[in-house]
Amino acid sequence: MRTGTTVAWSVGVVAVIAAIGVAAVMISSVAWDATTSGAAESTPSPTPSASPPLDEEAAMMAELGDGYQYLGHGTSIPKNALPGCPESGYIFLGSDDGAPPHAEHLGVDLVDLGPRDYALGTVGFDDQGRIATYTVAPGDVETVIGERFCIYNGMALGMLNGYKGGDAIQPGDVITLNADLVTDWVSPYPEG
């Protein structure tokens, strides 16, 4: 029977120790809350300052990395994407923040890398001697014309010039290469 009494006494001691421990934790928690709330009232802790939001260009470049160049209007393109072009231009066709749609040349000025298969047409220049237009030769293809003039998205030349999808440029057509010269651009695909 002595063993039973010892076990009962041990269980009782453990219960008392546990109760004291819980009470001690509760008391120290209440005391800690009182000291920290008093400290918070007398000396407010500094609020961490939020870092300023990244602008559009910085945010995009941080995500994409050094292998891209930012051109504006939320557009980035790979650096050295077109063979022979140290940098590329881009035809922007769209609108920002509800403004009317417009055409714009983004990036570096147009450069003529010279005639090539599928881009054998002739170049027209504006009053300042900058590349402005292109007369389509037989067999010319928009994307290759774009490559010839370091336009990353040469496929947009048709839309810039009012061609709808499926309507191909034709030999003898004079198309505008510099999107900045198209001041009255209207999408060939009206909304609605």
Side-chain angles (χ1 to χ4, degrees):
M1 296 279 169
R2 187 168 168 95
T3 307
T5 306
T6 305
V7 171
W9 183 82
S10 297
V11 170
V13 171
V14 170
V16 170
I17 292 172
I20 292 171
V22 169
V25 168
M26 291 175 59
I27 291 169
S28 66
S29 174
V30 169
W32 184 81
D33 284 346
T35 58
T36 57
S37 66
E41 291 173 13
S42 61
T43 55
S45 61
T47 305
S49 61
S51 45
L54 294 173
D55 66 4
E56 178 183 52
E57 176 182 357
M60 184 174 284
M61 295 314 295
E63 183 178 330
L64 294 174
D66 291 337
Y68 287 80
Q69 64 188 64
Y70 181 79
L71 300 175
H73 298 290
T75 303
S76 291
I77 61 174
K79 290 180 180 175
N80 305 318
L82 299 174
C85 299
E87 290 186 57
S88 299
Y90 187 88
I91 298 170
F92 173 79
L93 303 171
S95 63
D96 296 313
D97 301 323
H102 69 282
E104 186 176 343
H105 178 79
L106 304 179
V108 298
D109 288 338
L110 298 172
V111 176
D112 186 357
L113 299 178
R116 60 194 60 210
D117 289 342
Y118 309 109
L120 295 170
T122 56
V123 181
F125 299 90
D126 67 9
D127 294 342
Q128 287 88 31
R130 295 177 300 199
I131 296 169
T133 62
Y134 179 84
T135 304
V136 178
D140 281 357
V141 176
E142 291 172 22
T143 54
V144 182
I145 295 168
E147 290 171 5
R148 174 177 168 178
F149 295 97
C150 295
I151 300 171
Y152 179 74
N153 61 335
M155 192 107 171
L157 285 167
M159 190 178 286
L160 172 67
N161 286 278
Y163 295 85
K164 290 186 178 185
D167 292 346
I169 56 174
Q170 298 297 317
D173 288 352
V174 177
I175 60 172
T176 301
L177 295 176
N178 185 344
D180 290 341
L181 300 176
V182 181
T183 57
D184 58 349
W185 183 78
V186 176
S187 173
Y189 303 100
E191 292 182 35

